[in-house]
Amino acid sequence: MRRGERSLQDDDTVKKEWDSAAEAWVDFVRTGKDYYRDGLNNPATFELIGDVKNLAVLDIACGEGYNTRILARKGAEVTGVDFSEQMIRFAQQAEEKEKLGICYRLMDAANLGEVSNHHFDLVTCFMSLQDIRDFRKAISEVARVLKEGGRFIFSIPHPCTEQIRLDKHEGKVRAVERYFGASEYTIDWNMKRLTKHFRTTSFHRPLAAYFDALYKSKLLVKRLVEPQPKQAELKRYPGLQDVQVMPQSVIIESMKRGDDIHNA
Ligand SMILES: C[S@@+](CC[C@H](N)C(=O)[O-])C[C@H]1O[C@@H](n2cnc3c(N)ncnc32)[C@H](O)[C@@H]1O
């Protein structure tokens, strides 16, 4: 993986990047090649999520639905949304094969349109908020569709280490050049384990920008986790060695509160 020059892609181009990545992404995710997911982020995120039986759950930027299906298998009533037609097509195909009752919708996470207010107990966003250009609008939409007391749990590449880590894949290590401020960048997905190399666009923001957006949407942060691999997972996925010393991701759990807390 390599972080490239700032590219300034329009939304349609960003969406098309995910459309053309979809087939290789499906192989990457479904055949156990995404070891950061299987050995690091999913164990920690699902531990934080806890019991979802009978909860109404919305998974935003759900991709081809790998984690959406895990939520449904755990007994949640799940809706998955993504803005890539191809990702949603693969997700729906999987639903036809294994009927879990998941409802998939083609939607921009920053505009959940006709999704009802105060409907969901839990909204998840797995390693995707950094890919959503208008993350503030997406977070305000999450707050709108959550019930009071409902939770929003999301993971992102750790904004403090993502550039160091992406460069490390190229055999170089250098300090983060510009942590503060927002920047758009291209990721070259060029690992050997992919069936096809592809490019996507992501958006760097400081951790404080995410916290500010949550605060403004009345989502109060409950917990923050910087996952580390357990011994068994390290044995199984030796590629996770470096995550013992530096976080790859951060997972944040927040909760929708009423007006009182902000007036206090
Ligand atoms: C890194 S993938 C992660 C997918 C999924 N959450 C998972 O864990 O497999 C990022 C996903 O975000 C989606 N995405 C990016 N921007 C979006 C937006 N504005 N609205 C909805 N989906 C978006 C992409 O289409 C892609 O499927």
Side-chain angles (χ1 to χ4, degrees), residues 176-194:
V176 173
E177 276 173 358
R178 189 180 43 199
Y179 173 75
F180 289 119
S183 55
E184 179 177 330
Y185 60 94
T186 302
I187 298 187
D188 281 321
W189 297 77
N190 54 12
M191 300 94 84
K192 285 201 184 95
R193 57 193 198 274
L194 290 167

Side-chain angles (χ1 to χ4, degrees), residues 16-206:
K16 281 191 187 130
E17 287 172 344
W18 283 110
D19 278 339
S20 66
E23 195 171 345
W25 182 262
V26 165
D27 176 79
F28 180 55
V29 168
R30 295 187 191 172
T31 60
K33 293 175 185 161
D34 186 1
Y35 53 78
Y36 285 103
R37 172 191 305 263
D38 298 327
L40 182 74
N41 292 317
N42 272 8
T45 313
F46 281 101
E47 192 180 325
L48 200 57
I49 289 174
D51 186 10
V52 291
K53 204 163 180 11
N54 298 323
L55 295 189
V57 179
L58 174 67
D59 185 24
I60 60 168
C62 64
E64 57 65 61
Y66 188 88
N67 288 359
T68 328
R69 290 187 287 281
I70 295 178
L71 289 162
R73 287 186 203 114
K74 286 174 180 278
E77 285 171 28
V78 194
T79 303
V81 305
D82 200 283
F83 77 166
S84 154
E85 271 175 44
Q86 293 306 316
M87 288 288 192
I88 289 292
R89 187 172 67 82
F90 282 113
Q92 264 158 350
Q93 276 175 5
E95 174 65 21
E96 275 151 35
K97 276 198 193 142
E98 181 189 3
K99 298 228 178 324
L100 292 164
I102 302 172
C103 166
Y104 288 106
R105 302 175 74 169
L106 187 64
M107 257 184 196
D108 192 317
N111 182 5
L112 297 177
E114 69 272 26
V115 179
S116 313
N117 296 351
H118 315 296
H119 181 75
F120 292 98
D121 300 291
L122 172 69
V123 179
T124 52
C125 186
F126 297 94
M127 294 300 269
S128 298
L129 208 48
Q130 78 286 352
D131 297 324
I132 298 176
R133 185 189 303 275
D134 196 347
F135 76 111
R136 289 182 180 276
K137 186 76 195 329
I139 288 176
S140 78
E141 282 291 80
V142 167
R144 178 178 71 75
V145 302
L146 268 179
K147 293 176 185 166
E148 214 161 283
R151 296 179 301 152
F152 175 40
I153 298 183
F154 68 95
S155 51
I156 48 172
H158 202 305
C160 301
T161 62
E162 68 188 326
Q163 186 170 343
I164 303 172
R165 294 185 43 78
L166 286 171
D167 279 348
K168 230 176 138 186
H169 283 279
E170 289 286 284
K172 296 175 276 174
V173 183
R174 59 177 180 176
V176 173
E177 276 173 358
R178 189 180 43 199
Y179 173 75
F180 289 119
S183 55
E184 179 177 330
Y185 60 94
T186 302
I187 298 187
D188 281 321
W189 297 77
N190 54 12
M191 300 94 84
K192 285 201 184 95
R193 57 193 198 274
L194 290 167
T195 53
K196 182 186 104 177
H197 293 170
F198 56 88
R199 287 181 149 198
T200 57
T201 300
S202 289
F203 304 91
H204 169 86
R205 306 109 194 174

